[in-house]
Amino acid sequence: MSRVFSGIQPSGVPTLGNYLGAIRNWVPLQDTQEAIYCVVDMHAITVWQDPAELRRQTREMAAALIACGLDPKRCILFVQSHVRAHAELAWIFNCVARLGWLNRMTQFKDKAGKNQEASSAGLYVYPNLMAADIHVYHATKVPVGDDQKQHLELANDIGQKFNHDYGVDFFPTIEPLIQGVAARVMSLRDGTKKMSKSDPSDQSRINLTDDADTIALKIRRAKTDPEPLPEHQSGFENRPEARNLVGILAAITGTLPENVLREHGGQGFGAFKNTLADALVAHLSPIAAEMTRLLEDPAALDAALRIGADRASEIAEPIVAKARDIVGFLPSR
Ligand code: AMP
Ligand code: TRP
């Protein structure tokens, strides 16, 4: 059995992209691996978060994860800032990672945009914290969406450099688990941009909290082109919106895009969008209802997260203690 780790930022309502690209793939791993899942609030504050909103969104994200099928009894589910070992190992990693490596991170460039000088230092070293999240448990498998691949390569570079510099074999190699046809779900307004919970336009995404009418409306208004759906996937060339919507239907109904095209190829988008909206509503409504139910009892949710943090600390503490010793810190007690 391997140890699996993954994290998600409480920086907004979880989207269909988070669900299909990440969360949904986390669920079956609970039963085959030792699975550790984390709401990464420390990552979220690399860009400004209103404190009250952050608290609300952290609970909301935890509720979403449980509603999507993560069971705090079958996995370790907790909030990043509750386990201090993440921050501690991240500092050591700040001293292992090279500026040249961080300079290559495309997500920093995307998020910082033109104004890098005004970005937080946290946003820049964010991949070091992410590496610490994983290595502090000696986790070896990390299920994520396609966009996180580069960060995982960096996490491996950091682990290897640490091992090499200190002459140890301490941090294992991490293997990304990037799954499925929907490893990258795109914006409903622009098929070349990824669907994101931080996109300013709510019309660009399906939120897991959207009601049936909202989902149907967003799908109806989703950007398309005037051509009917292609018969084969080769017809997706230069049609990112068509590719995206077909990919979503395939992912949500558990099939492949070619099967969706076998059934819907040649159809106009009008009819196809109705099918897609119905499938999304059928799949997502029970999740939204369960989220609402869980959020009615925040005390119970907090208690479950505290138990998760205690279990996570039990694994992380001895590993970070060993890392302290390897780098030459004096024992603190
Ligand atoms: P984030 O929203 O950045 O905290 O991402 C949480 C997880 O969802 C990561 O594993 C991402 O790779 C995944 N993810 C986020 N957006 C998308 C998307 N549009 N398509 C597929 N996966 C996504
Ligand atoms: N950086 C990831 C994202 O934005 C979230 C994350 C933080 C993560 N720590 C992690 C994912 C560790 C996997 C493993 O999507």
Side-chain angles (χ1 to χ4, degrees), residues 44 57 76 95 218 234 264:
Q57 289 178 173
I76 297 179
C95 303
K218 284 179 177 176
S234 54
H264 299 277

Side-chain angles (χ1 to χ4, degrees), residues 203-270:
Q203 295 296 316
S204 70
R205 61 180 162 260
I206 304 285
N207 304 310
L208 294 190
T209 47
D210 285 344
D211 61 24
D213 291 343
T214 309
I215 293 176
L217 194 67
K218 284 179 177 176
I219 293 297
R220 214 177 311 130
R221 289 196 183 145
K223 184 177 169 198
T224 49
D225 54 45
E227 304 294 319
L229 281 169
E231 306 277 348
H232 299 288
Q233 291 202 73
S234 54
F236 283 146
E237 190 123 359
N238 298 323
R239 300 184 67 190
E241 285 83 16
R243 181 197 298 275
N244 187 39
L245 295 182
V246 168
I248 292 173
L249 183 60
I252 208 96
T253 56
T255 184
L256 292 170
E258 51 255 41
N259 296 330
V260 170
L261 290 182
R262 205 163 295 136
E263 202 173 321
H264 299 277
Q267 237 177 36
F269 276 103

Side-chain angles (χ1 to χ4, degrees), residues 149-163:
K149 225 160 113 181
Q150 198 186 32
H151 289 157
L152 294 185
E153 285 161 12
L154 186 90
N156 274 327
D157 291 343
I158 291 174
Q160 271 162 31
K161 182 163 166 57
F162 181 98
N163 289 348

Side-chain angles (χ1 to χ4, degrees), residues 61-129:
M61 183 55 77
L65 296 178
I66 298 171
C68 289
L70 296 190
D71 173 359
K73 293 206 164 61
R74 278 145 69 215
C75 68
I76 297 179
L77 179 64
F78 70 104
V79 176
Q80 187 183 31
S81 63
H82 291 176
V83 178
R84 308 292 191 268
H86 291 244
E88 230 182 312
L89 187 61
W91 179 257
I92 295 176
F93 284 177
N94 283 342
C95 303
V96 173
R98 305 289 96 181
L99 289 186
W101 301 355
L102 292 173
N103 285 338
R104 285 196 286 276
M105 294 298 112
T106 56
Q107 182 174 297
F108 174 75
K109 289 178 200 160
D110 291 348
K111 284 202 179 177
K114 287 192 193 70
N115 209 357
Q116 294 197 0
E117 298 275 308
S119 299
S120 74
L123 187 65
Y124 188 67
V125 294
Y126 166 123
N128 298 345
L129 176 60

